[in-house]
């Protein structure tokens, strides 16, 4: 009888452990502290480019709690820095007023976010350059995904 109870408790323990949500571990794994130094991204000389695209980028919800005024966001085209900004706090949300420069339309833009408190750089393929895009909006390019929520 004692052996049956012991085996039953072992099975129940494994079932409880195996049924825990993967979402929490995925998020915590992606938001663990790293060792990356603060990047030295430099704001480009906008006079060297024919067009600019201005967008208010809202930081993804999963990263909001880690954000601070010491964070940075950088837009690159073909590995070349085309925009850099620091965040602005509006209420309980962090926003990045970003100006991106280019000489051509429809080129791919990669977006990088440096989180000072996590010492990590998060990067995503963001959008294509379009000088006519509205500066503010919802979802999509206005709230890019840096951390997978799967």
């Amino acid at each position: 009888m004692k052996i049956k109870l012991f085996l039953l408790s072992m099975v129940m323990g494994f079932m409880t452990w195996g049924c825990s949500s993967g979402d929490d571990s995925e998020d915590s794994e992606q938001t663990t502290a790293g060792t990356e130094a603060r990047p030295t991204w430099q704001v480009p000389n906008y006079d060297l480019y024919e067009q600019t695209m201005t967008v208010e980028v809202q930081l993804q919800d999963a990263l909001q709690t880690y954000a601070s005024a010491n964070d940075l966001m950088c837009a690159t085209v073909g590995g070349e820095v085309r925009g850099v900004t620091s965040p602005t706090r509006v209420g309980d949300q962090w926003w990045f007023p970003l100006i991106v420069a280019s000489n051509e339309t429809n080129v791919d833009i990669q977006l990088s976010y440096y989180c000072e408190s996590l010492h990590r750089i998060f990067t995503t393929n963001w959008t294509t350059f379009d000088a006519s895009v509205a500066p503010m909006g919802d979802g999509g390019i206005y709230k890019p995904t840096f951390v997978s929520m799967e």
Side-chain angles (χ1 to χ4, degrees):
M1 182 69 171
K2 287 182 181 180
I3 292 175
K4 286 182 181 178
L5 287 174
F6 175 74
L7 290 174
L8 181 61
S9 67
M10 292 290 291
V11 168
M12 293 300 288
F14 282 120
M15 287 177 60
T16 303
W17 176 66
C19 292
S20 67
S21 169
D23 291 346
D24 294 338
S25 63
E26 179 88 12
D27 286 348
S28 63
E29 185 176 303
Q30 291 184 19
T31 55
T32 55
T35 59
E36 293 174 292
R38 183 179 177 82
T40 57
W41 298 321
Q42 297 296 312
V43 176
N45 180 350
Y46 293 109
D47 293 334
L48 299 176
Y49 299 95
E50 295 174 9
Q51 304 173 65
T52 58
M53 173 177 145
T54 304
V55 180
E56 292 280 332
V57 179
Q58 183 181 13
L59 190 58
Q60 181 182 1
D61 292 342
L63 294 170
Q64 285 283 343
T65 58
Y66 303 100
S68 75
N70 296 322
D71 295 355
L72 289 173
M73 190 167 286
C74 174
T76 58
V77 173
E80 182 181 323
V81 174
R82 299 292 182 89
V84 177
T85 190
S86 298
T88 300
R89 188 172 183 114
V90 178
D92 61 348
Q93 299 289 307
W94 290 95
W95 292 82
F96 292 81
L98 184 63
I99 300 171
V100 182
S102 183
N103 287 325
E104 16 180 348
T105 59
N106 295 322
V107 292
D108 292 331
I109 302 173
Q110 193 171 55
L111 198 62
S112 297
Y113 163 64
Y114 172 71
C115 180
E116 175 74 22
S117 67
L118 293 175
H119 299 287
R120 288 194 56 193
I121 297 173
F122 299 89
T123 301
T124 188
N125 292 324
W126 184 39
T127 190
T128 56
F129 184 88
D130 181 357
S132 68
V133 73
M136 299 172 76
D138 294 320
I141 67 169
Y142 303 100
K143 195 171 187 179
T145 301
F146 290 103
V147 177
S148 172
M149 301 305 288
E150 295 177 0

